[in-house]
Amino acid sequence: MNTTRFLNLLKWNIIGNKRNLLNTILRFAAACFFIAVMTSISSWLSGMADYNAVSTAAKLCVLLFPVTMMAFASELTFNLRTKQTIISYSMLPASNIEKYATNFIYKTIISALLFFVGLLAADCLQALLSFVIAKTAFSLTSLFFSEMSWFSSEPGAICMFLLFVHSTFVFGSCYFRRRPMLWTALLWMLIPMSITLCAGAVLGAADAFAEQNGYVIVLRFQPDDFPVRLMAYLVTVLLSAFNYWLSYRLFCRIQVINNKVHN
């Protein structure tokens, strides 16, 4: 992997999509500002700025953030949607791993920065409006980060969960050629339901068989045990790495296969 070539490709992506970046910031700012206005409008009508209203807006923005990150993850192949863009991207003087890493960074790190820039812009607007109406204001941005304190309660488990979810949406972006977020979200609902039904059927049959033969099946599972947690983390990391590897393999194939729902 050539670092100079990789950075040039990343800069080319950013410069070539600067209008889209600006539109993304404006959409985030509009969404966060709309949330702040809707939660604070009743207090503004009373001529005061309500801390709880801004705190509620921050909570809603915290919920919006992972949804937008999954939406961006499902757009990893944003520059491989048409035959012309596939040909243009394939002819760039860069390896497939450099192109994949560029798109990955563009749709994760840069997209997260765009969200925070939009949040900060919305915060300035709502603070200015609140100060004009109620002569006082609260910071939406600071409350946003304070509302994310739940992350420190179980950082390991939350990081593993977010890593696995992100990897599945990245895989879905390379597997589904149309509406990848929708199809990936549907799979996230259908697969756990199928596993639960199958596990329930197997356990029910085993319990009935044991009862007929005079036995009792007792399952003891303690997720707080260190070996259980370590095994769960290891399985999550391996599955996430497998999803990323599959998405990379499909990313390479997309450059030669087109006009299909999936590869």
Side-chain angles (χ1 to χ4, degrees), residues 22 27-28 40 65 80 93 122 134 149 155 179 187 192 206 227 229 245:
L22 180 60
R27 285 194 293 266
F28 283 147
S40 302
F65 177 65
L80 296 172
S149 59
R179 299 179 180 86
L187 285 179
R229 278 177 170 266
W245 178 79

Side-chain angles (χ1 to χ4, degrees), residues 11-204:
K11 183 173 68 174
W12 177 81
N13 262 332
I14 294 174
I15 294 175
N17 295 278
K18 56 184 178 181
R19 178 174 293 182
N20 185 45
L21 295 178
L22 180 60
N23 291 335
T24 302
I25 293 175
L26 293 177
R27 285 194 293 266
F28 283 147
C32 295
F33 180 69
F34 177 78
I35 292 173
V37 169
M38 288 297 101
T39 56
S40 302
I41 191 168
S42 61
S43 61
W44 288 346
L45 291 175
S46 302
M48 58 178 291
D50 189 1
Y51 174 87
N52 293 327
V54 183
S55 178
T56 301
K59 292 177 181 178
L60 294 175
C61 291
V62 168
L63 294 176
L64 178 65
F65 177 65
V67 175
T68 56
M69 291 308 298
M70 296 308 111
F72 280 122
S74 64
E75 293 180 353
L76 188 75
T77 58
F78 70 101
N79 48 11
L80 296 172
R81 297 294 171 82
T82 64
K83 187 175 182 178
Q84 185 59 44
T85 56
I86 290 175
I87 294 174
S88 301
Y89 207 58
S90 300
M91 294 178 66
L92 290 176
S95 63
N96 284 330
I97 187 64
E98 291 166 353
K99 296 175 184 178
Y100 179 84
T102 299
N103 284 17
F104 188 88
I105 292 176
Y106 184 85
K107 285 299 179 180
T108 52
I109 298 176
I110 295 179
S111 298
L113 293 176
L114 295 179
F115 181 88
F116 292 129
V117 172
L119 176 67
L120 184 60
D123 188 14
C124 294
L125 290 175
Q126 73 86 22
L128 178 62
L129 186 61
S130 180
F131 187 79
V132 169
I133 296 175
K135 306 304 180 184
T136 184
F138 298 100
S139 174
L140 179 64
T141 306
S142 62
L143 289 174
F144 174 86
F145 287 105
S146 65
E147 291 295 338
M148 294 187 70
S149 59
W150 54 267
F151 184 82
S152 60
S153 60
E154 289 287 344
I158 294 175
C159 284
M160 290 297 102
F161 176 74
L162 293 178
L163 176 68
F164 181 66
V165 174
H166 186 267
S167 68
T168 56
F169 275 89
V170 168
F171 168 72
S173 70
C174 296
Y175 185 79
F176 300 107
R177 302 299 296 276
R178 296 181 180 88
R179 299 179 180 86
M181 184 177 182
L182 174 62
W183 290 112
T184 308
L186 288 176
L187 285 179
W188 258 98
M189 291 186 290
L190 293 176
I191 291 178
M193 289 174 58
S194 302
I195 294 175
T196 302
L197 290 174
C198 292
V202 171
L203 291 176

